[in-house]
Amino acid sequence: MKLVIVAALAVVVIGAVALKKGKTPTESNTSAATAAAPAPGGGSEAKAGLGSTAKLPKLIDLGADKCIPCKMMAPILEEMKKEYAGRMQVEFIDVWKNPDAGKQYGIEMIPTQIFYDAEGKERFRHVGFFGKEDILGKWKELGVDVSGGKAAAGIVRETPVAADTRPRESVCFMCDGDVNAKTKTVVKGQSEQRVLCGPHCYLIYLSSIVGADPQAEEAKVSVTDWASGNLVAATAATYLYGMDAKGRPTIKAFANKEAATKEQQSSPANLLPWDVLRSKELATRCAFCDRAVYPEDACGVKFGTTHGYGCCTHCSMGVAARLKQDIEVEAKDGLTGELIRVKTLDGQIASLEPATAVAWFGQKKDAEGKWASAGCFKQGFFVNDGNLQKWLEARPAMTGRQISIAQALADKMKLSPEQIAKACKLGECK
Ligand SMILES: [Zn+2]
Ligand SMILES: [Zn+2]
């Protein structure tokens, strides 16, 4: 009874709730990676009790219906119970209603998940919230097959299906899109020049340079005059800032203001000088990598009461790592634009809608031949692997691999603050 009272008074602000007086939840703030120490005595009793009945691998979650991380686990356990019926047993035990069970299993904090193999042998314990992908990943790591032969194929493409034969000067350095001759933007480097599809990609480029001196950088940029097709200094041009049918900004550059004003009569848009265009474009940034972004292209990320953006699906996961905060992401399927909702808790996936959603990790070989991220424009989430497959069919030059959304989050969560500061920066992104 004492155990129940203490537990009921515990303040639920962290991943797990201490069950016994005098046991402080010292490790629960890092619950994501913390395995519970084997319980003295209790674990082996429980093991013996299970051995005789279990023919399937079994996952027992010991929690309580009023503890926050336990509540977040409930729908995951329900879903797995149905989805893995006949392949794995899933059981929930409420230790506030049934305090003896807490003793029997020797647990000290809730929620605690105990993994038993088909022989009834305890293989692993985890304290705190544990998402579906994490549970499945743990079974895999333990060498316990709960897939029933239905293992997800996971697309891997290490070599392009067809090479990209476009001439270099017609491919945007930033987004890899086709360069329209009317909006072509050129950055002159010391030895080479970089071609971008338009001023927007240039401003993404500028926001990706570490410690950029804007004046020195801007002196290198030329834009195409919409009227004549000639290159002119970006800082000297006038810009028509309009909107396409989908509400996404459009930018046309003009060498002289009269031509811009004339064009404005046929297509409604604002006339802007370069510095206003720049500050407008740089006002909205990726909450992970700080790149300039249009909300229309981005993932919405909610953290606390604040709304922000991730410039790509993977960056949106990175917001949890950068802010060390739980986030809610609304990503769009790369093929169809269907919504994919991801919620995190303590750096792990708390919910994923639809549950079939997968991620594509676009990768390419770097100068040393090692696989590295191909950058923000080559990443995506999809409501299912069929959509990813179709998306890849339309992108024969794309290389990379299918990963789980939990993996996309985990990859970001393990970054150090120094790595986060360099994320997606030109020449720094690894
Ligand atoms: Zn571009
Ligand atoms: Zn980003």
Side-chain angles (χ1 to χ4, degrees), residues 69-136:
C70 307
K71 270 198 240 178
M72 298 195 67
M73 289 217 55
I76 294 172
L77 296 169
E78 267 318 300
E79 187 190 316
M80 294 188 88
K81 205 172 193 168
K82 285 184 208 133
E83 194 181 337
Y84 288 86
R87 288 176 277 153
M88 155 173 68
Q89 284 179 273
V90 181
E91 194 182 319
F92 171 73
I93 297 172
D94 190 319
V95 296
W96 287 358
K97 290 177 184 155
N98 182 4
D100 286 347
K103 275 184 222 143
Q104 188 199 334
Y105 287 92
I107 63 154
E108 292 168 358
M109 312 237 254
I110 55 168
T112 291
Q113 301 85 37
I114 313 178
F115 291 66
Y116 296 95
D117 61 22
E119 285 72 47
K121 189 173 169 227
E122 179 177 333
R123 299 291 302 277
F124 180 71
R125 279 184 183 217
H126 178 269
V127 177
F129 174 83
F130 213 36
K132 182 179 173 183
E133 299 281 356
D134 303 300
I135 292 169
L136 294 175

Coordinates of all heavy atoms in Angstrom, one line a residue, residues 69-136:
P69 N 4.0 9.2 -19.6 CA 4.7 8.3 -20.6 C 3.9 7.0 -20.8 O 3.9 6.5 -21.9 CB 6.1 8.1 -20.0 CG 6.1 8.6 -18.6 CD 5.0 9.6 -18.5
C70 N 3.3 6.5 -19.7 CA 2.5 5.2 -19.8 C 1.4 5.5 -20.7 O 1.0 4.6 -21.5 CB 2.0 4.8 -18.4 SG 3.3 4.6 -17.2
K71 N 0.7 6.6 -20.5 CA -0.5 6.9 -21.4 C -0.1 7.0 -22.8 O -0.8 6.6 -23.7 CB -1.1 8.3 -21.0 CG -2.1 8.2 -19.9 CD -3.0 9.4 -19.9 CE -2.9 10.1 -18.5 NZ -3.6 11.3 -18.5
M72 N 1.1 7.5 -23.1 CA 1.5 7.6 -24.5 C 1.9 6.3 -25.1 O 1.9 6.1 -26.3 CB 2.7 8.6 -24.6 CG 2.3 10.0 -24.1 SD 3.4 11.3 -24.6 CE 3.3 11.3 -26.4
M73 N 2.2 5.4 -24.2 CA 2.6 4.0 -24.7 C 1.3 3.2 -25.0 O 1.4 2.3 -25.8 CB 3.4 3.3 -23.6 CG 4.8 3.8 -23.6 SD 6.1 2.6 -23.3 CE 5.9 1.4 -24.6
A74 N 0.2 3.5 -24.3 CA -1.0 2.7 -24.4 C -1.4 2.4 -25.9 O -1.6 1.3 -26.3 CB -2.1 3.3 -23.6
P75 N -1.6 3.5 -26.7 CA -2.0 3.2 -28.1 C -1.0 2.4 -28.9 O -1.4 1.6 -29.8 CB -2.2 4.6 -28.7 CG -1.5 5.5 -27.8 CD -1.5 4.9 -26.4
I76 N 0.3 2.6 -28.6 CA 1.3 1.8 -29.3 C 1.2 0.3 -29.0 O 1.2 -0.5 -29.9 CB 2.7 2.3 -28.9 CG1 2.9 3.8 -29.4 CG2 3.8 1.5 -29.4 CD1 4.1 4.5 -28.8
L77 N 1.0 0.0 -27.7 CA 0.8 -1.3 -27.3 C -0.4 -2.0 -27.9 O -0.4 -3.1 -28.3 CB 0.8 -1.4 -25.7 CG 2.1 -1.0 -25.0 CD1 1.9 -0.8 -23.5 CD2 3.2 -1.9 -25.3
E78 N -1.5 -1.2 -27.9 CA -2.8 -1.7 -28.5 C -2.6 -2.1 -29.9 O -3.0 -3.1 -30.4 CB -3.9 -0.6 -28.3 CG -4.7 -0.7 -27.1 CD -5.1 -2.2 -26.8 OE1 -5.8 -2.8 -27.6 OE2 -4.8 -2.7 -25.7
E79 N -1.9 -1.2 -30.6 CA -1.7 -1.4 -32.1 C -0.8 -2.6 -32.3 O -1.1 -3.4 -33.2 CB -1.0 -0.1 -32.6 CG -0.8 -0.1 -34.1 CD 0.1 1.0 -34.6 OE1 -0.1 2.2 -34.1 OE2 1.0 0.8 -35.4
M80 N 0.2 -2.7 -31.5 CA 1.2 -3.9 -31.7 C 0.5 -5.2 -31.3 O 0.8 -6.2 -31.9 CB 2.4 -3.7 -30.8 CG 3.2 -2.5 -31.4 SD 4.8 -2.4 -30.6 CE 5.8 -3.4 -31.6
K81 N -0.4 -5.1 -30.3 CA -1.1 -6.3 -29.9 C -1.9 -6.9 -31.1 O -1.8 -8.1 -31.4 CB -2.1 -5.9 -28.8 CG -2.5 -7.0 -27.9 CD -3.3 -6.4 -26.7 CE -3.4 -7.4 -25.6 NZ -4.0 -6.7 -24.4
K82 N -2.5 -6.0 -31.9 CA -3.3 -6.4 -33.0 C -2.4 -6.8 -34.2 O -2.5 -7.9 -34.8 CB -4.2 -5.3 -33.5 CG -5.4 -5.1 -32.6 CD -6.4 -4.1 -33.1 CE -7.2 -3.4 -32.0 NZ -7.2 -2.0 -32.1
E83 N -1.4 -5.9 -34.5 CA -0.6 -6.1 -35.6 C 0.3 -7.3 -35.5 O 0.6 -8.0 -36.5 CB 0.3 -4.9 -35.9 CG 0.9 -4.8 -37.2 CD 1.8 -3.5 -37.4 OE1 1.5 -2.5 -36.6 OE2 2.7 -3.6 -38.2
Y84 N 0.7 -7.7 -34.3 CA 1.7 -8.8 -34.1 C 1.0 -10.0 -33.5 O 1.7 -10.9 -33.0 CB 2.9 -8.3 -33.3 CG 3.7 -7.4 -34.2 CD1 3.4 -6.0 -34.3 CD2 4.8 -7.9 -35.0 CE1 4.2 -5.2 -35.1 CE2 5.5 -7.1 -35.8 CZ 5.2 -5.8 -35.9 OH 5.9 -4.9 -36.7
A85 N -0.3 -10.0 -33.5 CA -1.0 -11.2 -33.0 C -0.5 -12.5 -33.6 O -0.4 -12.5 -34.8 CB -2.5 -11.0 -33.3
G86 N -0.3 -13.4 -32.8 CA 0.2 -14.7 -33.3 C 1.7 -14.7 -33.5 O 2.3 -15.8 -33.8
R87 N 2.4 -13.6 -33.3 CA 3.8 -13.5 -33.5 C 4.5 -13.0 -32.2 O 5.7 -13.3 -31.9 CB 4.2 -12.6 -34.6 CG 3.9 -13.3 -36.0 CD 4.1 -12.3 -37.1 NE 3.0 -11.4 -37.3 CZ 3.1 -10.2 -37.8 NH1 4.3 -9.8 -38.2 NH2 2.1 -9.5 -38.0
M88 N 3.8 -12.3 -31.4 CA 4.3 -11.7 -30.2 C 3.2 -11.4 -29.2 O 2.1 -11.0 -29.6 CB 5.1 -10.4 -30.5 CG 5.2 -9.5 -29.3 SD 6.2 -8.0 -29.6 CE 5.4 -7.1 -30.8
Q89 N 3.4 -11.7 -27.9 CA 2.4 -11.4 -27.0 C 2.7 -10.0 -26.4 O 3.9 -9.7 -26.1 CB 2.4 -12.4 -25.8 CG 1.8 -13.7 -26.1 CD 1.8 -14.6 -24.9 OE1 2.8 -15.3 -24.8 NE2 0.8 -14.6 -24.1
V90 N 1.7 -9.2 -26.2 CA 1.9 -7.9 -25.6 C 0.9 -7.7 -24.4 O -0.3 -8.0 -24.5 CB 1.5 -6.7 -26.7 CG1 1.7 -5.4 -26.0 CG2 2.4 -6.9 -27.9
E91 N 1.5 -7.4 -23.3 CA 0.7 -7.3 -22.1 C 1.0 -6.0 -21.3 O 2.1 -5.6 -21.3 CB 1.0 -8.5 -21.2 CG 0.1 -8.8 -20.1 CD 0.5 -10.0 -19.2 OE1 0.9 -11.0 -19.8 OE2 0.3 -9.8 -18.0
F92 N -0.1 -5.5 -20.8 CA 0.1 -4.3 -20.0 C -0.3 -4.6 -18.5 O -1.4 -5.2 -18.3 CB -0.7 -3.1 -20.5 CG -0.8 -1.9 -19.6 CD1 0.4 -1.1 -19.4 CD2 -1.9 -1.6 -18.9 CE1 0.3 0.0 -18.6 CE2 -1.9 -0.5 -18.0 CZ -0.8 0.3 -17.9
I93 N 0.5 -4.2 -17.6 CA 0.1 -4.4 -16.2 C 0.1 -3.1 -15.5 O 1.1 -2.4 -15.5 CB 1.1 -5.4 -15.5 CG1 1.0 -6.8 -16.1 CG2 0.8 -5.5 -14.0 CD1 2.1 -7.8 -15.7
D94 N -1.0 -2.7 -14.8 CA -1.1 -1.5 -14.1 C -0.6 -1.8 -12.7 O -1.3 -2.4 -11.9 CB -2.6 -1.0 -14.1 CG -2.7 0.4 -13.5 OD1 -2.0 0.7 -12.5 OD2 -3.5 1.2 -14.1
V95 N 0.5 -1.2 -12.3 CA 1.1 -1.5 -11.0 C 0.6 -0.6 -9.9 O 0.9 -0.9 -8.7 CB 2.7 -1.5 -11.1 CG1 3.2 -2.5 -12.0 CG2 3.2 -0.1 -11.5
W96 N -0.2 0.4 -10.3 CA -0.8 1.2 -9.2 C -2.1 0.4 -8.7 O -2.4 0.5 -7.6 CB -1.1 2.6 -9.7 CG 0.1 3.4 -9.8 CD1 1.4 3.1 -9.5 CD2 0.2 4.8 -10.3 NE1 2.2 4.1 -9.8 CE2 1.6 5.2 -10.2 CE3 -0.7 5.7 -10.7 CZ2 2.0 6.4 -10.6 CZ3 -0.3 7.0 -11.1 CH2 1.1 7.3 -11.1
K97 N -2.7 -0.2 -9.7 CA -3.9 -1.0 -9.3 C -3.5 -2.4 -8.8 O -4.2 -3.0 -8.1 CB -4.8 -1.2 -10.6 CG -5.5 0.1 -11.0 CD -6.3 0.0 -12.2 CE -6.9 1.3 -12.7 NZ -7.2 1.3 -14.1
N98 N -2.3 -2.8 -9.2 CA -1.9 -4.2 -8.9 C -0.4 -4.1 -8.4 O 0.5 -4.5 -9.0 CB -2.0 -5.0 -10.2 CG -1.6 -6.5 -9.9 OD1 -1.3 -6.9 -8.8 ND2 -1.5 -7.2 -11.0
P99 N -0.2 -3.5 -7.1 CA 1.1 -3.3 -6.7 C 2.0 -4.5 -6.5 O 3.2 -4.5 -6.6 CB 0.9 -2.6 -5.3 CG -0.5 -2.8 -5.0 CD -1.3 -3.1 -6.2
D100 N 1.3 -5.7 -6.3 CA 2.1 -6.9 -6.2 C 2.9 -7.2 -7.4 O 4.0 -7.8 -7.4 CB 1.2 -8.1 -5.9 CG 0.7 -8.0 -4.4 OD1 1.3 -7.2 -3.7 OD2 -0.2 -8.7 -4.1
A101 N 2.3 -6.8 -8.6 CA 3.0 -7.1 -9.8 C 4.3 -6.4 -9.9 O 5.4 -6.9 -10.4 CB 2.1 -6.7 -11.0
G102 N 4.3 -5.1 -9.4 CA 5.6 -4.3 -9.4 C 6.7 -5.1 -8.6 O 7.8 -5.1 -9.1
K103 N 6.3 -5.7 -7.5 CA 7.2 -6.4 -6.7 C 7.7 -7.7 -7.4 O 8.8 -8.0 -7.5 CB 6.6 -6.8 -5.3 CG 6.7 -5.7 -4.3 CD 6.2 -6.1 -3.0 CE 5.4 -5.0 -2.3 NZ 4.2 -5.5 -1.6
Q104 N 6.7 -8.4 -8.0 CA 6.9 -9.6 -8.6 C 8.0 -9.5 -9.8 O 8.8 -10.3 -10.0 CB 5.6 -10.2 -9.2 CG 5.7 -11.6 -9.7 CD 4.5 -11.9 -10.7 OE1 3.5 -11.3 -10.6 NE2 4.8 -12.8 -11.6
Y105 N 7.8 -8.4 -10.5 CA 8.7 -8.2 -11.6 C 10.0 -7.4 -11.2 O 10.8 -7.1 -12.0 CB 8.0 -7.5 -12.8 CG 7.1 -8.4 -13.5 CD1 5.7 -8.5 -13.1 CD2 7.5 -9.2 -14.6 CE1 4.9 -9.4 -13.8 CE2 6.6 -10.1 -15.2 CZ 5.3 -10.1 -14.8 OH 4.5 -11.0 -15.5
G106 N 10.0 -6.9 -10.0 CA 11.1 -6.2 -9.4 C 11.4 -4.9 -10.1 O 12.5 -4.5 -10.4
I107 N 10.3 -4.2 -10.4 CA 10.5 -2.9 -11.1 C 10.5 -1.8 -10.1 O 9.9 -1.8 -9.0 CB 9.5 -2.6 -12.2 CG1 8.1 -2.6 -11.6 CG2 9.5 -3.7 -13.3 CD1 7.1 -1.7 -12.4
E108 N 11.3 -0.7 -10.4 CA 11.4 0.4 -9.6 C 10.8 1.7 -10.2 O 10.5 2.7 -9.5 CB 12.9 0.6 -9.2 CG 13.4 -0.5 -8.3 CD 14.9 -0.5 -8.2 OE1 15.5 0.3 -8.8 OE2 15.4 -1.4 -7.5
M109 N 10.6 1.7 -11.5 CA 10.1 2.9 -12.1 C 9.1 2.4 -13.2 O 9.1 1.3 -13.7 CB 11.2 3.6 -12.9 CG 12.4 3.8 -12.0 SD 12.9 5.5 -11.9 CE 14.3 5.6 -12.9
I110 N 8.2 3.4 -13.5 CA 7.2 3.1 -14.6 C 7.3 4.2 -15.6 O 7.6 5.3 -15.2 CB 5.8 2.9 -14.0 CG1 5.3 4.1 -13.3 CG2 5.7 1.6 -13.3 CD1 3.9 4.2 -13.0
P111 N 7.0 3.9 -16.8 CA 6.8 2.5 -17.3 C 8.1 1.8 -17.5 O 9.2 2.4 -17.7 CB 6.2 2.8 -18.7 CG 6.8 4.1 -19.2 CD 6.9 4.9 -17.9
T112 N 8.1 0.5 -17.3 CA 9.2 -0.4 -17.5 C 8.7 -1.5 -18.5 O 7.6 -2.0 -18.3 CB 9.7 -1.1 -16.3 OG1 10.3 -0.1 -15.4 CG2 10.7 -2.2 -16.6
Q113 N 9.5 -1.7 -19.6 CA 9.1 -2.8 -20.5 C 10.1 -3.9 -20.4 O 11.3 -3.7 -20.3 CB 9.2 -2.3 -22.0 CG 8.2 -1.1 -22.3 CD 8.9 0.2 -22.0 OE1 10.1 0.4 -22.1 NE2 8.1 1.2 -21.4
I114 N 9.6 -5.1 -20.3 CA 10.4 -6.3 -20.2 C 10.2 -7.2 -21.4 O 9.1 -7.4 -21.8 CB 10.1 -7.1 -18.9 CG1 10.0 -6.2 -17.7 CG2 11.2 -8.2 -18.7 CD1 9.7 -6.9 -16.4
F115 N 11.3 -7.5 -22.0 CA 11.3 -8.3 -23.3 C 11.7 -9.8 -22.9 O 12.7 -10.0 -22.4 CB 12.3 -7.8 -24.3 CG 12.0 -6.5 -24.9 CD1 11.9 -5.3 -24.1 CD2 11.7 -6.4 -26.2 CE1 11.6 -4.1 -24.7 CE2 11.4 -5.1 -26.8 CZ 11.4 -4.0 -26.0
Y116 N 10.8 -10.7 -23.2 CA 11.0 -12.1 -23.1 C 11.1 -12.8 -24.4 O 10.3 -12.5 -25.3 CB 9.9 -12.8 -22.2 CG 9.8 -12.3 -20.8 CD1 8.9 -11.3 -20.6 CD2 10.6 -12.8 -19.8 CE1 8.7 -10.8 -19.3 CE2 10.4 -12.3 -18.5 CZ 9.5 -11.3 -18.2 OH 9.4 -10.8 -17.0
D117 N 12.0 -13.7 -24.6 CA 12.1 -14.5 -25.8 C 11.1 -15.6 -25.8 O 10.4 -15.8 -24.8 CB 13.5 -14.9 -26.2 CG 14.1 -15.9 -25.2 OD1 13.3 -16.5 -24.4 OD2 15.3 -16.0 -25.1
A118 N 10.9 -16.4 -26.9 CA 9.9 -17.4 -26.9 C 10.1 -18.5 -25.9 O 9.2 -19.2 -25.5 CB 9.9 -18.1 -28.3
E119 N 11.4 -18.6 -25.3 CA 11.6 -19.6 -24.3 C 11.3 -19.0 -22.9 O 11.5 -19.7 -21.9 CB 13.1 -20.0 -24.3 CG 13.5 -20.9 -25.4 CD 13.5 -20.3 -26.8 OE1 14.1 -19.1 -26.9 OE2 12.9 -20.8 -27.7
G120 N 10.8 -17.8 -22.9 CA 10.4 -17.2 -21.6 C 11.6 -16.6 -20.9 O 11.5 -16.2 -19.7
K121 N 12.7 -16.4 -21.5 CA 13.9 -15.9 -20.9 C 13.9 -14.4 -21.0 O 13.7 -13.8 -22.1 CB 15.1 -16.5 -21.5 CG 16.4 -16.1 -20.8 CD 17.6 -16.9 -21.4 CE 18.9 -16.4 -20.9 NZ 19.9 -16.1 -21.9
E122 N 14.1 -13.7 -19.9 CA 14.1 -12.2 -20.0 C 15.4 -11.8 -20.7 O 16.5 -12.2 -20.4 CB 14.1 -11.6 -18.6 CG 14.2 -10.1 -18.6 CD 14.2 -9.4 -17.3 OE1 13.5 -9.9 -16.4 OE2 14.7 -8.3 -17.2
R123 N 15.2 -10.9 -21.7 CA 16.3 -10.5 -22.6 C 16.7 -9.1 -22.4 O 17.8 -8.7 -22.6 CB 16.0 -10.8 -24.0 CG 15.7 -12.3 -24.3 CD 17.0 -13.1 -24.2 NE 18.0 -12.6 -25.1 CZ 18.1 -12.9 -26.4 NH1 17.3 -13.8 -27.0 NH2 19.1 -12.4 -27.2
F124 N 15.7 -8.2 -22.0 CA 16.0 -6.8 -21.9 C 15.0 -6.1 -21.1 O 13.8 -6.5 -21.1 CB 16.1 -6.2 -23.4 CG 16.4 -4.8 -23.4 CD1 17.6 -4.3 -23.1 CD2 15.4 -3.8 -23.8 CE1 17.9 -2.9 -23.2 CE2 15.7 -2.5 -23.8 CZ 16.9 -2.0 -23.5
R125 N 15.4 -5.0 -20.5 CA 14.5 -4.1 -19.8 C 14.7 -2.7 -20.2 O 15.9 -2.3 -20.4 CB 14.7 -4.2 -18.3 CG 14.0 -5.3 -17.7 CD 14.1 -5.3 -16.2 NE 13.5 -6.6 -15.7 CZ 12.8 -6.7 -14.6 NH1 12.6 -5.6 -13.8 NH2 12.2 -7.8 -14.3
H126 N 13.6 -1.9 -20.4 CA 13.8 -0.5 -20.7 C 12.9 0.3 -19.8 O 11.8 -0.1 -19.5 CB 13.4 -0.3 -22.1 CG 13.5 1.2 -22.5 ND1 12.4 2.0 -22.4 CD2 14.5 1.9 -22.9 CE1 12.8 3.3 -22.8 NE2 14.0 3.2 -23.1
V127 N 13.4 1.4 -19.3 CA 12.6 2.3 -18.4 C 12.3 3.5 -19.1 O 13.2 4.2 -19.7 CB 13.4 2.6 -17.1 CG1 12.6 3.5 -16.2 CG2 13.7 1.3 -16.3
G128 N 11.1 3.9 -19.1 CA 10.6 5.2 -19.7 C 9.8 4.9 -21.0 O 9.6 3.7 -21.3
F129 N 9.4 5.9 -21.7 CA 8.7 5.8 -22.9 C 9.5 5.0 -23.9 O 10.7 5.3 -24.1 CB 8.3 7.1 -23.4 CG 7.6 7.0 -24.8 CD1 6.3 6.7 -24.9 CD2 8.4 7.2 -25.9 CE1 5.7 6.6 -26.1 CE2 7.8 7.1 -27.2 CZ 6.4 6.8 -27.3
F130 N 8.9 4.1 -24.7 CA 9.6 3.3 -25.7 C 8.7 3.2 -26.9 O 7.6 2.6 -26.8 CB 10.0 1.9 -25.1 CG 11.3 1.4 -25.7 CD1 12.4 2.2 -25.9 CD2 11.5 0.0 -25.9 CE1 13.6 1.7 -26.4 CE2 12.7 -0.5 -26.3 CZ 13.7 0.3 -26.6
G131 N 9.1 3.8 -28.0 CA 8.2 3.8 -29.2 C 8.2 2.5 -29.9 O 9.0 1.6 -29.7
K132 N 7.2 2.4 -30.9 CA 7.0 1.2 -31.7 C 8.3 0.8 -32.4 O 8.8 -0.4 -32.4 CB 5.9 1.4 -32.7 CG 5.6 0.2 -33.5 CD 4.4 0.4 -34.4 CE 4.3 -0.7 -35.4 NZ 3.2 -0.5 -36.4
E133 N 8.9 1.8 -33.1 CA 10.1 1.5 -33.9 C 11.2 1.0 -33.0 O 12.1 0.2 -33.3 CB 10.6 2.7 -34.7 CG 9.5 3.2 -35.7 CD 9.5 2.3 -37.0 OE1 10.4 1.4 -37.1 OE2 8.7 2.6 -37.8
D134 N 11.3 1.6 -31.8 CA 12.3 1.3 -30.8 C 12.1 -0.2 -30.3 O 13.1 -0.9 -30.2 CB 12.3 2.2 -29.6 CG 12.5 3.7 -30.1 OD1 13.5 3.9 -30.7 OD2 11.6 4.5 -29.8
I135 N 10.9 -0.5 -30.1 CA 10.5 -1.9 -29.6 C 10.9 -2.9 -30.7 O 11.6 -3.9 -30.4 CB 9.0 -2.0 -29.3 CG1 8.7 -1.1 -28.0 CG2 8.6 -3.5 -29.0 CD1 7.3 -0.9 -27.7
L136 N 10.5 -2.6 -31.9 CA 10.9 -3.5 -33.0 C 12.4 -3.6 -33.2 O 12.9 -4.7 -33.5 CB 10.1 -3.1 -34.3 CG 8.6 -3.1 -34.3 CD1 8.0 -2.6 -35.5 CD2 8.1 -4.6 -34.1

